[in-house]
């Protein structure tokens, strides 16, 4: 992991470029089939924007400022994203999005 990766309270945030390198090096992250949806999930434009900013390693406050919305809205969007992607955490949501070519 690069020195720019940040350890937060519940998650590890990784810059998008590092995640792509990691996925490219190992083919894909080992994700149980039961966790992945059978077809590609459909995301709203807001969800895709939040996901892309998450992939770049930004936290909720930066995402909220960038998208001109509240942190509460960002948390709700992330909650819905994780539900649609059947993700366990933020990093898993980004990995699923990359795997499904959503970002």
């Amino acid at each position: 992991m690069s020195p720019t990766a940040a350890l937060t309270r519940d998650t590890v945030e990784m810059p998008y470029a590092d995640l792509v390198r990691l996925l490219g090096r190992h083919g894909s992250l080992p994700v149980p089939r039961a966790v992945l949806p059978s077809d590609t999930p459909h995301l709203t434009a807001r969800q895709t924007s939040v996901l892309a900013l998450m992939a770049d390693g930004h936290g909720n406050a930066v995402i909220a400022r960038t998208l001109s919305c509240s942190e509460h809205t960002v948390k709700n969007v992330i909650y819905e994203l994780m539900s649609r992607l059947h993700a366990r955490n933020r990093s898993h949501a980004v990995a699923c999005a990359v795997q499904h070519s959503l970002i």
Side-chain angles (χ1 to χ4, degrees), residues 19-74:
L19 182 63
V20 169
R21 261 196 307 279
L22 176 67
L23 290 173
R25 188 177 312 139
H26 300 291
S28 65
L29 292 176
V31 180
R33 279 284 149 207
V35 174
L36 294 176
S38 59
D39 57 342
T40 303
H42 299 284
L43 302 179
T44 66
R46 174 60 59 102
Q47 290 169 335
T48 303
S49 298
V50 169
L51 197 52
L53 290 166
M54 284 171 48
D56 287 337
H58 297 294
N60 293 352
V62 173
I63 294 171
R65 280 195 307 272
T66 302
L67 299 178
S68 301
C69 63
S70 70
E71 282 188 63
H72 182 75
T73 299
V74 171

Side-chain angles (χ1 to χ4, degrees), residues 74-89:
V74 171
K75 288 177 186 179
N76 286 338
V77 170
I78 292 171
Y79 178 81
E80 179 62 28
L81 263 173
M82 291 176 60
S83 175
R84 285 189 185 194
L85 295 172
H86 303 280
R88 296 181 299 270
N89 54 45

